[in-house]
Amino acid sequence: MTPAYVLASRNAHGSCSDQNVADLRIAFGEAVKAVQQAIQAFDNLKEPRPAAYHLNKRRTWDRQAQLLKALFNINVDKSHPLTPDNEDANVVQGFFQDMLDGHDYNIPDVTRKYWLFCGDNWLVWKGPSETNEADDRDPKRTLGETFGRGAHLAQVTTPMKSLNVYIYSLQIQAPNPQCRGSQFASTLVNTQSTTFCPPSFGDEMKSLTATKSGIKARDPLDSKKTRAHLWIHEWGHLINNFDDESSVNAAGIPIPGDANQWTRVVNLARHVPDRVRRAPDAYALFATAVFFDNYGWGTGVAEK
């Protein structure tokens, strides 16, 4: 597909900042590179652990194995690499590959195609839908039966298409109904679109490359806020069709909130590994940590 990525950050003149557009394009390329390196990490771990005299390669292998265990609860024994038939590893690697394959390609330069445009009128609310209105995707059901009373009819217009969609439980907040509070981004799978909200362009959001050069020992991975991380997280929703998984604590007991950031992802991996392999932030954390290869991140903080 050719997804639509929408900038909801607009200036006083009603247009998007050239810098915002440039920042998102740079971050897109960095996110692609990070995902490619994540895929390569799985291939690396299918090879024997490098000998001690290959110090850098051995260190990289060990760091990637620690990450795989921490974030996805997939074990790699130092004496035995990942086997080609390791189903759990193949599933996770496959989801990373899907993030790349979910974008159509330009030929012959093999760059990934997507729409990136500015606007806050791309989604127009039609008004609350009646709960007894038939669901046009399943005429035997009413919208109330399908969605409950939170359903609203909206029209989405992107450069590719204009269509009516049903959206559940989004508050109507003009001008950007998908951007609520401090939300960084929001994805609507059935419109093949992701909206980047104003917090995505805050000063704390950096490029992967700039962030990597400034890492110091013991820095938490969660403190490294990058737009590339955001891209990868949203691809988990948009392309892999993941929901944000609910959290558990260190004892495996459910707690409020989504399984985002290191501790919540690690807790989910430890107690419910099948679910963490469908958690968008697990993929974003793994890919960005692999990109930050000047440090190890097996405990969630930068270690030499």
Side-chain angles (χ1 to χ4, degrees), residues 66-235:
Q66 288 178 320
L67 273 176
L68 195 59
K69 172 60 177 176
L71 294 172
F72 293 108
N73 202 357
I74 297 173
N75 288 301
V76 186
D77 190 287
K78 290 183 178 181
S79 301
H80 301 92
L82 283 176
T83 59
D85 60 352
N86 186 309
E87 183 176 349
D88 294 332
N90 290 340
V91 165
V92 174
Q93 186 179 21
F95 280 134
F96 274 121
Q97 186 63 53
D98 289 344
M99 291 181 181
L100 302 183
D101 294 344
H103 294 81
D104 295 329
Y105 289 93
N106 284 312
I107 304 297
D109 59 350
V110 200
T111 55
R112 285 164 180 83
K113 296 166 64 175
Y114 59 95
W115 295 97
L116 181 61
F117 66 100
C118 173
D120 51 23
N121 60 354
W122 66 281
L123 187 151
V124 179
W125 292 99
K126 296 286 192 176
S129 60
E130 298 295 331
T131 58
N132 61 355
E133 182 180 342
D135 184 348
D136 57 7
R137 294 166 298 181
D138 184 0
K140 294 181 180 180
R141 297 173 61 88
T142 67
L143 287 175
E145 290 171 327
T146 301
F147 294 108
R149 294 184 177 274
H152 297 276
L153 177 64
Q155 183 172 24
V156 172
T157 301
T158 73
M160 310 98 70
K161 66 183 75 173
S162 178
L163 71 162
N164 290 327
V165 296
Y166 292 105
I167 301 172
Y168 178 58
S169 72
L170 279 177
Q171 299 175 12
I172 302 175
Q173 293 187 7
N176 303 315
Q178 282 193 261
C179 296
R180 304 185 299 281
S182 59
Q183 190 165 358
F184 287 96
S186 181
T187 289
L188 291 177
V189 174
N190 59 347
T191 68
Q192 297 182 4
S193 65
T194 292
T195 297
F196 290 90
C197 302
S200 299
F201 306 100
D203 291 339
E204 75 279 8
M205 298 293 284
K206 307 295 185 183
S207 75
L208 272 182
T209 304
T211 299
K212 180 177 178 178
S213 66
I215 294 172
K216 298 180 177 62
R218 307 304 298 170
D219 280 354
L221 184 58
D222 285 339
S223 70
K224 306 306 169 187
K225 299 184 183 299
T226 68
R227 294 183 187 90
H229 180 115
L230 187 60
W231 273 111
I232 297 166
H233 180 108
E234 294 304 320
W235 288 340

